[in-house]
Amino acid sequence: MAGSDRAVPAPTAPVSPAAAPEAVKILIAGGFGVGKTTMVGSVSEIAPLRTEEPLTAAGLDVDDLAGIEEKRATTVALDFGRISIGGELVLYLFGTPGQQRFWFMWNDLAIGALGAVVLVDVRRPESSFAAVDFFERRGIPFVVGVNGFHGRHPYPAEDVREALALPEHVQVLLCDARERASCRDVLVALIDQLIDAAAGTAAP
C-alpha cells in the first residue's frame, strides 16, 4: 500500500529437506533351520514380521530335521526386518523360506534385491548349496555367514569356503545369528562389497 511504513520481510532461501536415506533390499537365505529368522529378528530395529508355523507330524516325510531335531516352527513365506546403517542407508531384510517346497517363492523375493547373505550351518553345509547356486546363477552378489550355533565355530572360514567350493571373491564370515552386532557386521561387509563393485563399474 502506498505510503505504508510497514517493513517488507526480506525473502528467505528455501529450506532444503533432509536427503532421504537410500533404501536397499537384501535377502537372508540358506537352508532349512540355518538361522535366517533368528538373524532378521536379532538385527532388525523394528519388530520383525514373521510367517512361522509349527512343524507337525504331517511334514515328517518332507522336512529333514537331521541335526536340528529341536526345531519346532518353520517359515512358510518370509521374514521381514529393517536396519539403518550410518543414518544414510536403510536395509530392508527379507528372509527366505528354507524348505524345498517353498523355494518357488525365492524368484519373487529376489526381484529388486541388490545382494544377499547366505547363512550356513557347518553341521549341515549341504543345506545351503541351493542358495549359493541360486545367487550365482542370477548374478546377485552375496556373502556367506557361517552361523556358530551355541557360539561355537569348529571350522575356520577357509575350510567352509573349500567345503562350499566358493570362489575367492565371495566373503566368508563367522557370525552368530543371535547377536545383533555380529549380524550387523555381516551386513556391513555385504554393503561394502556392493559399494566397491559399483565404484569399479563406474570407473572409466
Side-chain angles (χ1 to χ4, degrees):
M1 180 182 297
S4 172
D5 56 358
R6 180 180 298 175
V8 178
T12 57
V15 178
S16 299
E22 294 289 334
V24 176
K25 180 179 181 181
I26 299 295
L27 296 189
I28 310 297
F32 180 42
V34 297
K36 301 179 295 296
T37 297
T38 300
M39 181 177 186
V40 172
S42 296
V43 78
S44 178
E45 63 194 14
I46 62 172
L49 167 67
R50 292 172 173 162
T51 58
E52 287 194 301
E53 294 292 339
L55 291 170
T56 65
L60 291 178
D61 293 335
V62 291
D63 297 329
D64 183 5
L65 296 179
I68 51 171
E69 290 82 2
E70 73 283 0
K71 190 169 178 61
R72 295 291 178 265
T74 184
T75 299
V76 296
L78 59 91
D79 300 306
F80 174 77
R82 184 188 73 197
I83 179 174
S84 300
I85 304 291
E88 299 178 353
L89 189 65
V90 174
L91 307 186
Y92 291 103
L93 309 175
F94 291 78
T96 64
Q99 294 152 289
Q100 186 171 356
R101 65 181 184 273
F102 297 129
W103 285 357
F104 69 91
M105 298 182 62
W106 287 30
N107 286 321
D108 288 338
L109 290 173
I111 295 172
L114 293 190
V117 174
V118 175
L119 280 183
V120 173
D121 177 356
V122 294
R123 302 170 300 177
R124 303 173 298 116
E126 70 283 352
S127 69
S128 292
F129 286 164
V132 170
D133 183 66
F134 179 88
F135 296 116
E136 286 183 337
R137 287 178 178 273
R138 287 158 181 78
I140 298 175
F142 66 95
V143 300
V144 169
V146 183
N147 187 15
F149 282 82
H150 309 296
R152 295 195 296 265
H153 287 288
Y155 305 104
E158 284 309 309
D159 286 0
V160 177
R161 177 188 303 280
E162 184 176 349
L164 295 176
L166 296 170
E168 284 298 321
H169 71 270
V170 176
Q171 297 182 76
V172 179
L173 306 128
L174 304 182
C175 67
D176 187 333
R178 302 169 302 174
E179 297 183 0
R180 176 180 172 84
S182 179
C183 297
R184 187 179 187 277
D185 289 345
V186 173
L187 292 169
V188 168
L190 173 62
I191 292 303
D192 287 344
Q193 177 177 311
L194 295 176
I195 290 173
D196 290 344
T201 301

